[in-house]
Amino acid sequence: RAVMFAKMRQRTAPFRRGAGALAACAGAIASAARSCAGPNRDGVAVSAEMTKSPSRSPTSESTRSAPASDLGSPGHLRNQEMLATLVNQQKTRFPEILEELRREGRKTGHWIWWACPTELPGACDPIGSYVTKDTASQLFGSESEDEWRQVLETLAGLMDDRGKSVLPRIDHGRIYYFLEFWEGVPDKPQWMEVVLERFNRFDWDP
């Protein structure tokens, strides 16, 4: 019996070693998972799986107001600061831009980013302005809304008379994405709906 027992231990030794290795591996995985847990942007510890975000395009973001938990986040504050910068730029520059359009009958300066803001800053925009789904509607009722409206309506009137050539070809892509973005912004005032409709009478190449 002793001999048979010894032989049986020899035969089962590989299986017992394998079971031990599996147990060690499971322990290592559990330890790694715990070490991957870390604080999120609000300082709350979360697991690696919880910190994963599903991939999505910018246009898939919710059009609702930012959740209260996001109001103090760096991203939210940065977007609000950019909105204030854009409003100031519109308020400051649009009077001279309006004068340019009336004098020249077309766009000759470099300012399309402030009149037709989108989610992406223009490559040559000196202030790097942009809006988001949450901040865009705040332009309505802002200090610069009247000036913004005058510039857009003047552009639409010039295009009614002379066609889209009143805008340089390099700006046509900006108009395309401006229309695409703002058509998805809810609760627009009637004047903006009319401006978008007038701009949409023309084909704009992205």
Side-chain angles (χ1 to χ4, degrees):
R1 289 183 179 179
V3 173
M4 290 178 63
F5 181 72
K7 289 182 178 180
M8 288 178 64
R9 284 185 58 84
Q10 289 178 353
R11 291 175 181 174
T12 58
F15 298 102
R16 286 185 281 105
R17 287 195 297 269
L22 286 174
C25 183
I29 291 174
S31 176
R34 287 192 298 271
S35 66
C36 287
N40 65 4
R41 65 185 180 190
D42 296 318
V44 180
V46 293
S47 69
E49 185 65 26
M50 290 173 64
T51 58
K52 292 181 181 178
S53 298
S55 60
R56 60 180 180 180
S57 65
T59 54
S60 69
E61 293 184 8
S62 171
T63 58
R64 295 176 297 176
S65 299
S69 60
D70 289 342
L71 294 181
S73 69
H76 176 80
L77 295 176
R78 183 168 56 249
N79 294 340
Q80 290 297 320
E81 289 172 0
M82 176 49 64
L83 176 67
T85 300
L86 175 59
V87 167
N88 180 69
Q89 190 79 347
Q90 290 179 332
K91 187 72 176 177
T92 303
R93 298 293 305 277
F94 277 173
E96 64 185 71
I97 288 169
L98 191 60
E99 181 181 345
E100 169 197 311
L101 292 172
R102 290 169 175 169
R103 182 182 65 249
E104 304 293 338
R106 61 191 179 92
K107 175 181 176 287
T108 58
H110 303 288
W111 44 261
I112 195 65
W113 324 282
W114 313 320
C116 301
T118 69
E119 290 176 296
L120 294 178
C124 299
D125 182 355
I127 66 170
S129 59
Y130 65 89
V131 290
T132 69
K133 294 286 185 170
D134 290 324
T135 64
S137 60
Q138 296 178 49
L139 284 175
F140 305 122
S142 70
E143 294 181 357
S144 62
E145 181 184 4
D146 290 342
E147 291 84 355
W148 185 34
R149 176 179 179 176
Q150 289 181 61
V151 168
L152 289 178
E153 290 181 341
T154 300
L155 269 177
L158 290 172
M159 288 189 291
D160 287 343
D161 295 338
R162 306 182 184 185
K164 65 180 182 180
S165 62
V166 301
L167 288 170
R169 175 64 183 84
I170 196 172
D171 290 337
H172 291 190
R174 164 64 58 162
I175 302 300
Y176 176 91
Y177 290 109
F178 167 72
L179 294 173
E180 183 178 67
F181 175 82
W182 285 89
E183 285 171 355
V185 174
D187 304 322
K188 294 182 290 291
Q190 183 62 27
W191 73 261
M192 187 58 158
E193 297 281 7
V194 173
V195 163
L196 296 178
E197 181 180 345
R198 294 170 75 182
F199 274 50
N200 261 320
R201 294 173 184 170
F202 303 91
D203 293 327
W204 305 96
D205 297 325

